[in-house]
């Protein structure tokens, strides 16, 4: 009857894992309750938010450092004072976003659309972008510290 003991051990292990936050069989959203639209000061460090719709959300002061925001829609969002350093914004939409004073050091901006965004006092040191990246009219990414990445 050793197979019964093994089966029991497996069942107990699965029950314990499923009871843990984010455990087996659960797909908990990394977004806090009420977000969007209210996401101000949210702690989303290293969050997996690929393709998420945060259009028009209040993300002021939020920590989105190292977050995966590839293909996300952040158009017309308020990201003033947010941390986006080392985040991946490849192909993300930030049309008309408020990015005043945002920390975007090392943020990947390949193919991102920042047209109409307010980048006043944004820090873009070493942020890689490519020729497909769209910037606000008159904005000089090199002067802001961003780096044109070689074509892949």
């Amino acid at each position: 009857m050793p197979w019964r003991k093994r089966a029991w051990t497996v069942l107990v292990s699965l029950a314990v894992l499923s009871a843990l936050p984010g455990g087996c069989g659960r797909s908990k959203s990394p977004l806090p309750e009420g977000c969007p639209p209210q996401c101000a000061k949210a702690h989303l460090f290293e969050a997996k938010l690929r393709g998420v719709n945060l259009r028009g959300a209040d993300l002021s002061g939020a920590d989105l450092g190292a977050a995966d925001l590839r293909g996300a829609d952040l158009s017309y969002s308020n990201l003033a004072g947010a941390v986006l350093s080392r985040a991946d914004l490849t192909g993300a939409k930030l049309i008309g976003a408020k990015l005043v004073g945002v920390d975007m050091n090392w943020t990947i901006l390949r193919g991102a659309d920042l047209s109409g965004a307010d980048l006043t006092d944004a820090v873009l040191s070493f942020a890689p972008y490519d020729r497909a990246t769209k910037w606000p009219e008159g904005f000089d990414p090199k002067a802001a510290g961003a780096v044109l990445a070689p074509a892949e």
Side-chain angles (χ1 to χ4, degrees):
M1 308 271 174
W3 65 271
R4 285 187 182 172
K5 185 176 182 180
R6 278 186 291 219
W8 178 252
T9 303
V10 169
L11 286 173
V12 169
S13 297
L14 287 174
V16 169
L17 286 173
S18 66
L20 295 172
C24 183
R26 295 193 182 193
S27 59
K28 186 179 177 199
S29 170
L31 294 172
E33 191 173 324
C35 174
Q38 296 303 318
C39 312
K41 297 185 181 175
H43 180 73
L44 297 166
F45 182 79
E46 294 184 340
K48 308 295 184 229
L49 300 169
R50 190 175 191 169
V52 72
N53 183 357
L54 290 167
R55 187 179 184 92
D58 179 7
L59 287 153
S60 57
D63 182 0
L64 291 155
D68 181 358
L69 289 157
R70 289 176 284 176
D73 188 353
L74 296 154
S75 299
Y76 307 103
S77 293
N78 178 5
L79 289 146
V83 175
L84 284 163
S85 61
R86 290 179 165 55
D88 190 346
L89 289 165
T90 301
K93 294 179 189 170
L94 293 123
I95 301 162
K98 184 176 181 181
L99 296 161
V100 176
V102 172
D103 176 357
M104 295 177 79
N105 288 312
W106 296 94
T107 301
I108 301 168
L109 297 168
R110 291 176 183 267
D113 188 348
L114 293 122
S115 49
D118 183 353
L119 288 160
T120 305
D121 297 326
V123 181
L124 294 157
S125 299
F126 306 105
Y129 68 96
D130 60 13
R131 300 205 186 280
T133 305
K134 296 178 185 170
W135 297 100
E137 194 171 319
F139 184 77
D140 182 358
K142 288 183 183 178
V147 179
L148 180 61
E152 290 184 330

